[in-house]
Amino acid sequence: MPAKTVHYPWYKKEDTDAFFALFQNNIANFVVISITMLAMGFPTSIVFGQVIPGAAVAVLFGNLYYAYSANRLAQKEGRTDVTALSYGISTPVMFIFLFGVLLPAITITNDPQLAWKIAVAACFISGLIEVIISFAGRWIQNNLPRAAMLGALAGVALTFIAGEMLFSTFEMPVVGLVVLAIILVGIIGKVTMPFKIPASLFAIVIGTVLAYALSQADINQITDGLSYVGFYPFLPTIAAFEGMSYLFGTMIAVFAVVLPITIYNAIETLNNVEAMDAAGDKYDVKECQAVDGVGTMIGAMFGGLFPTTVYMASVGSKWMKAGRGYSILNAVVYALTAMFGLIAAMSAIIPVAVVAPILVFVGISMIATSFQANQSKYYPAVAVAMLPYFSNYLMTRFNNDAGEVVAGVSTGIVPLGQGAMFTGIILGAITVFIIDGNYKRAVIFSLIGAAFSFTGLMHAPELAFNAAPQFSIGYLIMGMFFLFYAFQNIKVDQNQDQDIAK
């Protein structure tokens, strides 16, 4: 006999609370994307005509798919209490793409249209890589040290996110410091804001009002913002393919960011899907990673720049007893707000200095998480993995003059900054394996460093054979040094496994 079809509702009252909980996070991402890109010098035609609609297409696809997937699970298990997975733009990955991909692209090319195409290509490649990773996600998770990967991401968070946004905060000190105070008290101090308004939303409202009241923002921005309300259709584009030649040519350093952040994104999906499994809803991890990758590629085909993922908020939605309705509503709302320019209006009205302190907190949170997610014995590895991005920040901000400008400080700044993400992960991984006394794996990552240097993925301006010979030799000698200790009976002090705080 065929399985009995259960009545799994399209929408129920619990979906409303889950929707609003997810709505704040997603709308904040869309507004941050818009404000940041406008501040970088991208025209509204790209930001509101391509990037935001493209991101909305990705969100639309993924949320509808996961609503379908929830119904499939409900029918398979004969349950009506299945909760759809939360889905959207990954916040940490969004910041990495903004400041690790888009900012270097526009800084180096000084051409918003070309920089957008490069970033779209990077996004498409990221989606493709995640589809491939879906077949080997667990192997990567088991073999790539968490401290190395999170440490490299923390380097981006410290320089391009927390550091850069702290500069913007102090450009409008009265407004910036007040908003920063609200964020610190509301989020870190966990103090409830008036009328129980979320701290980030309260900060944006107060900061925006203060900026206009003190004439720190031009009142004409409100009129300009409202003028953006209109119709922005979802139009496909071949920008991803046009940007490929630059991505694998002069912008290869940007590609060095894409691979590790995509691995991070895939593992984030894996962890969040497993958390839902523990909460009672078992979804297929490989399928979810593939769906995230496909959603990312579809978004790129419509001009979007940002990879998507299954959210940690999925478990929260499960606790709220939501079904699939909140996922469907999320898809519809973001499609409409992007299509009719509501996000564009908010982005034009809110000053950059109002959002900047929030991004400072996001960057700090990413750094803190990099340490909190690891045992204290791995803190040195996290710190080592962060360092290459100091060089990357300097060379990026000084554009093509980096070699001449920073040579007086050190001739090592530019090569260390080239492929900084790979360099951070490799040095961080080597440090992890030395801490664990696993010198054989330290040898392997030294050889990877030599290979990447030889091909130009690290320490070189472009892909080429024997691109950075001195660095290749250096990593090879490093590997030989570790190989010597691999055959020694090195005993690791087991007391280092204990956290210092304990």
Side-chain angles (χ1 to χ4, degrees):
M1 292 180 62
K4 181 180 178 181
T5 301
V6 299
H7 177 64
Y8 182 53
W10 285 96
Y11 197 90
K12 53 184 179 178
K13 63 178 182 179
E14 290 84 358
D15 284 318
T16 302
D17 290 337
F19 164 73
F20 280 109
L22 182 60
F23 177 79
Q24 179 191 343
N25 184 79
N26 267 325
I27 199 68
N29 283 346
F30 275 59
V31 171
V32 166
I33 288 168
S34 302
I35 293 176
T36 304
M37 289 190 66
L38 291 173
M40 287 180 186
F42 286 91
T44 56
S45 59
I46 290 179
V47 178
F48 304 133
Q50 294 285 354
V51 175
I52 296 302
V57 168
V59 171
L60 179 67
F61 163 79
N63 277 281
L64 292 182
Y65 185 91
Y66 283 126
Y68 154 77
S69 183
N71 179 61
R72 188 179 61 191
L73 181 61
Q75 301 303 331
K76 176 183 177 181
E77 299 186 356
R79 297 190 292 120
T80 60
D81 61 345
V82 173
T83 299
L85 294 169
S86 300
Y87 173 87
I89 296 172
S90 169
T91 302
V93 177
M94 176 190 76
F95 284 112
I96 299 300
F97 260 72
L98 277 173
F99 297 103
V101 175
L102 198 60
L103 180 61
I106 193 171
T107 302
I108 293 173
T109 64
N110 199 31
D111 183 341
Q113 186 76 14
L114 180 56
W116 166 65
K117 290 180 179 180
I118 292 169
V120 173
C123 181
F124 186 88
I125 290 294
S126 177
L128 179 61
I129 292 173
E130 183 156 9
V131 172
I132 297 171
I133 287 176
S134 68
F135 297 97
R138 289 197 179 277
W139 184 90
I140 293 173
Q141 185 184 38
N142 293 333
N143 288 275
L144 185 63
R146 176 185 294 178
M149 184 168 61
L150 293 184
L153 296 178
V156 181
L158 178 62
T159 53
F160 287 99
I161 302 175
E164 185 87 3
M165 290 300 102
L166 192 59
F167 300 157
S168 297
T169 298
F170 279 79
E171 288 176 1
M172 201 180 290
V174 175
V175 175
L177 288 173
V178 169
V179 174
L180 183 61
I182 294 172
I183 293 299
L184 293 176
V185 172
I187 299 181
I188 295 181
K190 302 186 185 304
V191 175
T192 303
M193 295 292 107
F195 309 107
K196 296 184 178 180
I197 300 175
S200 56
L201 178 60
F202 184 72
I204 290 175
V205 171
I206 296 298
T208 301
V209 171
L210 193 60
Y212 285 102
L214 297 176
S215 298
Q216 297 291 300
D218 188 346
I219 196 69
N220 291 326
Q221 287 180 232
I222 298 178
T223 304
D224 293 341
L226 294 176
S227 69
Y228 289 135
V229 176
F231 182 63
Y232 300 86
F234 297 161
L235 300 174
T237 175
I238 60 172
F241 303 103
E242 293 176 338
M244 291 290 181
S245 60
Y246 296 96
L247 184 62
F248 291 99
T250 57
M251 294 300 299
I252 190 62
V254 171
F255 176 73
V257 178
V258 174
L259 181 58
I261 193 59
T262 302
I263 294 173
Y264 167 86
N265 201 36
I267 292 176
E268 180 181 1
T269 290
L270 183 150
N271 290 336
N272 293 336
V273 171
E274 288 191 339
M276 276 294 278
D277 187 1
D281 291 341
K282 186 176 182 60
Y283 291 97
D284 184 82
V285 171
K286 290 183 179 179
E287 179 186 3
C288 293
Q289 289 175 327
V291 169
D292 292 353
V294 170
T296 297
M297 288 190 287
I298 291 176
M301 294 299 294
F302 284 82
L305 306 178
F306 305 97
T308 52
T309 189
V310 171
Y311 279 168
M312 188 182 299
S314 300
V315 175
S317 299
K318 180 68 177 176
W319 290 344
M320 294 179 190
K321 299 182 179 179
R324 57 175 166 170
Y326 86 102
S327 187
I328 296 172
L329 184 60
N330 190 56
V332 173
V333 167
Y334 285 104
L336 293 176
T337 54
M339 186 176 292
F340 292 104
L342 299 180
I343 294 172
M346 287 186 287
S347 303
I349 293 170
I350 301 171
V352 175
V354 171
V355 178
I358 300 173
L359 305 189
V360 171
F361 169 75
V362 170
I364 292 172
S365 299
M366 292 173 66
I367 298 167
T369 299
S370 299
F371 287 97
Q372 293 169 354
N374 289 282
Q375 291 177 287
S376 58
K377 69 175 183 177
Y378 295 125
Y379 287 178
V382 174
V384 167
M386 291 172 63
L387 293 178
Y389 257 93
F390 283 102
S391 293
N392 185 270
Y393 179 80
L394 288 174
M395 63 171 285
T396 299
R397 299 312 291 164
F398 283 114
N399 199 3
N400 294 325
D401 295 327
E404 293 75 15
V405 173
V406 302
V409 179
S410 172
T411 56
I413 291 178
V414 173
L416 179 57
Q418 294 165 331
M421 184 68 75
F422 284 143
T423 305
I425 289 176
I426 288 173
L427 294 181
I430 288 173
T431 306
V432 166
F433 295 133
I434 290 174
I435 292 170
D436 290 340
N438 191 340
Y439 286 91
K440 291 182 180 178
R441 289 204 169 187
V443 171
I444 292 173
F445 273 81
S446 298
L447 295 178
I448 293 173
F452 281 15
S453 300
F454 184 81
T455 57
L457 285 171
M458 290 163 38
H459 312 310
E462 59 185 4
L463 287 177
F465 285 107
N466 200 26
Q470 291 186 327
F471 287 96
S472 299
I473 294 171
Y475 283 111
L476 286 174
I477 295 175
M478 177 186 285
M480 293 172 61
F481 179 67
F482 295 145
L483 184 63
F484 171 78
Y485 285 100
F487 290 99
Q488 307 300 311
N489 187 22
I490 305 295
K491 293 184 179 180
V492 177
D493 182 6
Q494 297 302 316
N495 291 327
Q496 70 174 334
D497 292 338
Q498 303 300 317
D499 287 338
I500 296 174
K502 292 183 179 179

